[in-house]
């Protein structure tokens, strides 16, 4: 398979303004993500997709492959779709530009899911830390016996009514798509569940498109707030993340 990773990046983030160009342990956040994905050495190409001239200039200065995309996209999936219109691949990975703790294991897990030609969309989950189980910022996922997602939610799912010790899984923001799935996604209107939870992947489920989920032991911290930025900075500077 020809596999291309797309890293959506924009400056118009709301909770952490200009986060793509914030520094984390001495490097731009977007640069850390690009270097982590590129360093996995499992991909045919890695491209930062942005709507920002400033991000483009930084990418060009550092030698990070990048491409301008429309400023009208409402999601990283839509930005990945635009890239699929000009860059040929069998599988497109979407690695969010705020995931500086990306590992080669994450990339390998996505690729493994997509080895099955019948899989249109793949993603990752990891056992949820106790602090994430009731945290609406940490998205939970439940799957069927074949590893297909039943639902994603900011709520605590499953609900452990009898306190039997349910196992919880946190969804990680890494995706793999075939072009057919990307074409379908942008042709569909925003779904009601997607709108309610503010989770773009629910558009696939609500329209009968299965998402296959691989498990990884490696959690990440997606950078959405100043607190997230500080946590990642501490981990990277401590040398405990490798």
């Amino acid at each position: 398979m020809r596999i291309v990773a797309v890293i959506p990046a924009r400056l118009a983030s709301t909770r952490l303004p200009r986060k793509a160009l914030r520094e984390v342990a001495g490097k731009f956040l977007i640069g850390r993500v690009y270097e982590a994905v590129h360093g996995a050495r499992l991909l045919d190409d890695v491209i930062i997709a942005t709507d920002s001239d400033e991000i483009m200039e930084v990418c060009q200065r550092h030698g990070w492959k990048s491409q301008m995309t429309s400023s009208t996209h409402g999601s990283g999936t839509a930005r990945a779709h635009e890239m699929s219109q000009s860059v040929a691949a069998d599988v497109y990975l979407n690695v969010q530009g705020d995931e500086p703790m990306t590992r080669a294991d994450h990339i390998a897990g996505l690729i493994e899911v997509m080895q099955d030609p019948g899989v249109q969309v793949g993603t990752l989950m990891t056992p949820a830390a106790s602090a994430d189980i009731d945290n609406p910022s940490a998205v939970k996922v439940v799957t069927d016996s074949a590893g297909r997602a039943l639902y994603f939610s900011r709520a605590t799912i499953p609900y452990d009514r009898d306190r039997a010790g349910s196992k919880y899984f946190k969804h990680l923001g890494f995706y793999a798509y075939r072009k057919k799935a990307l074409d379908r996604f942008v042709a569909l209107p925003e779904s009601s569940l997607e709108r309610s939870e503010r989770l773009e992947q629910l558009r696939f489920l609500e329209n009968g498109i299965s998402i296959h989920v691989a498990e990884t032991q490696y959690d990440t911290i997606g950078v959405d707030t100043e607190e997230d930025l500080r946590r990642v900075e501490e981990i990277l500077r401590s040398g405990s993340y490798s």
Side-chain angles (χ1 to χ4, degrees), residues 22-132:
R22 294 291 298 272
E23 286 199 5
V24 183
K27 292 185 179 181
F28 289 118
L29 176 60
I30 188 60
R32 282 205 170 273
V33 179
Y34 180 88
E35 290 174 0
V37 177
H38 195 272
R41 302 188 184 281
L42 298 168
L43 304 164
D44 294 281
D45 212 348
V46 180
I47 307 169
I48 294 171
T50 185
D51 59 4
S52 164
D53 290 329
E54 190 174 350
I55 290 177
M56 277 292 290
E57 189 277 327
V58 169
C59 290
Q60 291 167 356
R61 181 154 34 98
H62 288 82
W64 305 328
K65 190 169 183 178
S66 56
Q67 188 167 316
M68 284 294 289
T69 52
S70 172
S71 61
T72 62
H73 296 310
S75 67
T77 306
R79 204 171 297 279
H81 174 262
E82 181 180 340
M83 293 295 297
S84 76
Q85 301 300 96
S86 59
V87 179
D90 298 295
V91 171
Y92 299 88
L93 304 191
N94 175 357
V95 181
Q96 300 297 323
D98 57 9
E99 287 282 358
M101 295 174 67
T102 300
R103 294 174 176 263
D105 301 79
H106 297 132
I107 305 302
L110 286 173
I111 293 173
E112 180 62 28
V113 169
M114 303 306 287
Q115 294 298 323
D116 181 343
V119 174
Q120 292 295 307
V121 184
T123 192
L124 298 177
M125 68 181 184
T126 194
S130 57
D132 286 330

Side-chain angles (χ1 to χ4, degrees), residues 125-128 132-134 138-144 150-170:
M125 68 181 184
T126 194
D132 286 330
I133 293 173
D134 295 321
V139 177
K140 273 68 68 176
V141 59
V142 290
T143 61
D144 67 12
L150 292 170
Y151 195 60
F152 299 85
S153 183
R154 298 184 183 280
T156 302
I157 56 172
Y159 176 68
D160 191 2
R161 192 194 69 169
D162 297 327
R163 299 188 178 182
S166 293
K167 194 168 184 179
Y168 298 92
F169 287 94
K170 174 186 171 184

